[in-house]
Amino acid sequence: MHYDVFNGDADGILALLQLRKAAPLTSTLVTGVKRDIQLLSHVAQQSDVSGVTVLDISMEKNKSALEALIRRQIPVFYCDHHRTGEIPVADNFTALINTNANTCTSLLINRHLGGRYAAWAVSAAYGDNMVAAADALGKKYGFNMNQQQFLNELGVLINYNGYGATEQDLLFAPAHLFQVLMNYDSPFDLQADSNSPFYQLQAGYAADMAKAQAVTPEHTSTESAIYCLPNASWARRISGVFGNQLANQTPDKAHAILTLNPNGKDYTVSVRAPINQRDGADEICGQFPTGGGRKAAAGINQLPISELVTFIDALNQYYRKQ
């Protein structure tokens, strides 16, 4: 059995969609909420694995499971833009990796496929807040302003759907959303179908964003703005895209969205580096035991409330020295 392993956000879902439209394949889907990235461990335990495709999850965070699959001589194709650690070299392992802050997995797959499904890739790039790259690719393929605006909104909505503590927080389980989207030849077909997931996500996003925009920042400085959201499903859903929106509105500042976890003792954190300086988010979050991510966007799964001041200081100090 082939296993498709992918992040449950816009980049992961639409990277796999491009691949499976180009090369249809019956597979077992392994995914989850956006922060569930140690997905390969679920596959390495299976005895029926004949091949694995891995998209948009950190190789560094899945190294032991990846090495186990390679040792079993199972063919693995791995495409990603997050931190890798040392990349394995083996005859049964193919890596398509680029950690540049201005690319994402769907853009790498788009290039790999020669632009066959470019509209989906543009939408994914918008969802991953790669606005300049998405604008440039859309222009290259001749999409007009209205088409670009729709692809932008669709990408943001699919990305919004990936945020939550569990799949129960989400409007669509990521595997199900992928399967539904595969039924559409073009992303523009979702716009034409009043029953498509686009409109359901649009309504949920509008309601959740209105609540987020009513929250005042916990801390502001020249370098950053920090927002604290309550322990609620709507807050977990909106946290990432709210951070992206704030980053785009104030491109010289770093932003952090902290959402109180159900235990009431710690936060889930989403960090966005300044748009005009897309680096450092992974270094800042990596200072904490449950932190990680990429240069432009990273997070911490469990930041104790007692370490909030330490986190704010680390954020400000990093961008103050730049």
Side-chain angles (χ1 to χ4, degrees):
M1 173 61 69
H2 191 90
Y3 283 75
D4 284 328
V5 184
F6 59 105
N7 199 310
D9 68 355
D11 195 21
I13 289 173
L14 297 182
L16 181 60
L17 182 146
Q18 292 176 77
L19 278 179
R20 291 294 157 254
K21 283 188 175 296
L25 181 66
T26 300
S27 66
T28 296
L29 303 179
V30 179
T31 187
V33 298
K34 181 177 176 65
R35 286 178 180 270
D36 188 1
I37 59 172
Q38 292 180 311
L39 297 171
L40 266 189
S41 60
H42 304 305
V43 179
Q45 300 167 5
Q46 305 303 316
S47 60
D48 65 345
V49 187
S50 60
V52 184
T53 298
V54 190
L55 300 167
D56 199 38
I57 60 173
S58 167
M59 189 181 297
E60 187 176 62
K61 297 292 186 180
N62 290 272
K63 185 61 64 69
S64 61
L66 174 59
E67 290 174 342
L69 290 166
I70 292 173
R71 285 195 301 269
R72 290 168 58 186
Q73 295 301 309
I74 294 168
V76 178
F77 172 77
Y78 207 120
C79 182
D80 188 41
H81 64 129
H82 298 91
R83 292 166 65 109
T84 62
E86 186 176 353
I87 299 176
V89 177
D91 291 341
N92 59 315
F93 180 64
T94 302
L96 182 58
I97 305 293
N98 187 336
T99 59
N100 186 287
N102 294 308
T103 195
C104 63
T105 305
S106 282
L107 292 178
L108 297 175
I109 292 297
N110 176 69
R111 184 178 300 175
H112 177 66
L113 296 176
R116 290 176 62 183
Y117 304 98
W120 294 106
V122 170
S123 189
Y126 279 126
D128 225 24
N129 209 34
M130 306 284 178
V131 177
D135 284 346
L137 188 63
K139 183 177 180 180
K140 175 182 176 180
Y141 285 97
F143 300 129
N144 62 39
M145 183 177 296
N146 289 335
Q147 290 174 317
Q148 291 275 75
Q149 289 175 346
F150 171 74
L151 293 175
N152 189 338
E153 184 175 9
L154 176 64
V156 168
L157 292 177
I158 296 173
N159 211 52
Y160 150 77
N161 182 73
Y163 284 90
T166 67
E167 290 192 358
Q168 283 65 48
D169 283 332
L170 312 184
L171 300 183
F172 292 89
H176 176 63
L177 182 57
F178 163 77
Q179 291 168 326
V180 173
L181 293 176
M182 279 292 291
N183 294 322
Y184 293 86
D185 292 334
S186 161
F188 303 114
D189 293 339
L190 281 92
Q191 190 175 24
D193 178 8
S194 61
N195 294 315
S196 78
F198 171 77
Y199 293 101
Q200 298 172 59
L201 292 171
Q202 187 183 55
Y205 176 92
D208 291 349
M209 185 59 79
K211 294 175 183 177
Q213 290 175 335
V215 175
T216 56
E218 181 78 13
H219 164 87
T220 59
S221 68
T222 304
E223 296 81 18
S224 70
I226 287 87
Y227 289 75
C228 293
L229 302 184
N231 170 28
S233 290
W234 71 264
R236 291 188 285 272
R237 285 194 299 266
I238 206 66
S239 60
V241 290
F242 182 45
N244 288 344
Q245 183 186 86
L246 293 170
N248 292 329
Q249 290 173 347
T250 315
D252 290 322
K253 275 191 179 185
H255 293 81
I257 310 302
L258 287 72
T259 307
L260 187 65
N261 287 328
N263 61 21
K265 299 178 181 179
D266 49 42
Y267 295 102
T268 294
V269 182
S270 291
V271 174
R272 298 294 179 265
I275 293 294
N276 292 336
Q277 183 193 329
R278 299 177 70 94
D279 64 36
D282 55 343
E283 292 186 36
I284 294 162
C285 293
Q287 297 176 34
F288 299 87
T290 61
R294 52 189 172 86
K295 296 176 181 178
I300 305 167
N301 288 338
Q302 294 174 298
L303 177 72
I305 291 175
S306 60
E307 294 189 33
L308 176 57
V309 173
T310 301
F311 166 75
I312 293 173
D313 287 345
L315 191 70
N316 285 331
Q317 286 175 14
Y318 183 91
Y319 292 109
R320 187 176 300 131
K321 71 182 182 181
Q322 300 301 307

